[in-house]
Amino acid sequence: MTLANSIVGVILVGLGAIGVGCPSSGYVTPDASIAKVTCVPAVEGELQDVRDVTAAPYLVHHPTVVDPNVPMIMFLPGGSGSRSSAQFAWDTFLAGDPRVANYRVLIPYSDSSDLFDQGPRAFNTLDAVLSCYGGDPARVHVAGFSNGGRMAFWFMFVRPDRFATLLGAPGLFPPSTPAQWAAALGNRP
């Protein structure tokens, strides 16, 4: 079993983790100016590069099964969170694993600046994808590596109500207290 398959296995089993790591408390305040979501037709079983719509750009892979309550993996790429980092995340950690076919996979990325600095847009992207294609908001799993791992930990830390599980492989953890993590993770495994 490769490291990438092991990582996918951990994501799909839903193992919780502990850590922290992003900027200010306003980091995940959704953009209230985004009132109408524009949707691109889903192509099941293929990775789509969605651009020029609300909360884009992002990659999305739709499940091969039609299920209005499908779970979702929001995978945050490392580095600057660029298109090539998003493609690397897909190719390295998710593509080719047959278990991924049962999940909608969302990989937001940035064309203009670091994705790390676009927390509100990443949440808007999550909301837009759920609105466009359906899915169970209680079964959204957040994951990431490097800067994306750090962002995943921060998302869970500041909005634990949005994610069922967390898997992050960040390169750096800023200080946090056990009480902060106990509050963020609640009764998750």
Side-chain angles (χ1 to χ4, degrees), residues 1-14 61-65 70-73 90 92-105 139 141:
M1 178 177 280
T2 68
L3 174 61
N5 285 341
S6 297
I7 290 171
V8 168
V10 171
I11 293 169
L12 298 180
V13 168
H61 183 269
H62 299 283
T64 54
V65 296
V70 68
M72 181 186 299
I73 299 168
W90 172 256
T92 304
F93 301 113
L94 299 160
D97 190 308
R99 297 170 292 183
V100 171
N102 298 318
Y103 291 77
R104 179 163 291 109
V105 179
R139 294 169 54 199
H141 308 274

Side-chain angles (χ1 to χ4, degrees), residues 3-100:
L3 174 61
N5 285 341
S6 297
I7 290 171
V8 168
V10 171
I11 293 169
L12 298 180
V13 168
L15 177 66
I18 297 177
V20 71
C22 286
S24 71
S25 61
Y27 187 67
V28 293
T29 304
D31 182 354
S33 68
I34 298 178
K36 182 172 169 57
V37 174
T38 305
C39 303
V40 172
V43 179
E44 294 174 1
E46 292 185 25
L47 187 65
Q48 290 179 261
D49 188 358
V50 178
R51 301 171 161 272
D52 301 322
V53 298
T54 306
Y58 57 89
L59 300 178
V60 62
H61 183 269
H62 299 283
T64 54
V65 296
V66 177
D67 178 359
N69 294 312
V70 68
M72 181 186 299
I73 299 168
M74 181 179 187
F75 200 99
L76 303 165
S80 66
S82 66
R83 169 65 175 83
S84 62
S85 294
Q87 187 69 51
F88 175 82
W90 172 256
D91 292 343
T92 304
F93 301 113
L94 299 160
D97 190 308
R99 297 170 292 183
V100 171

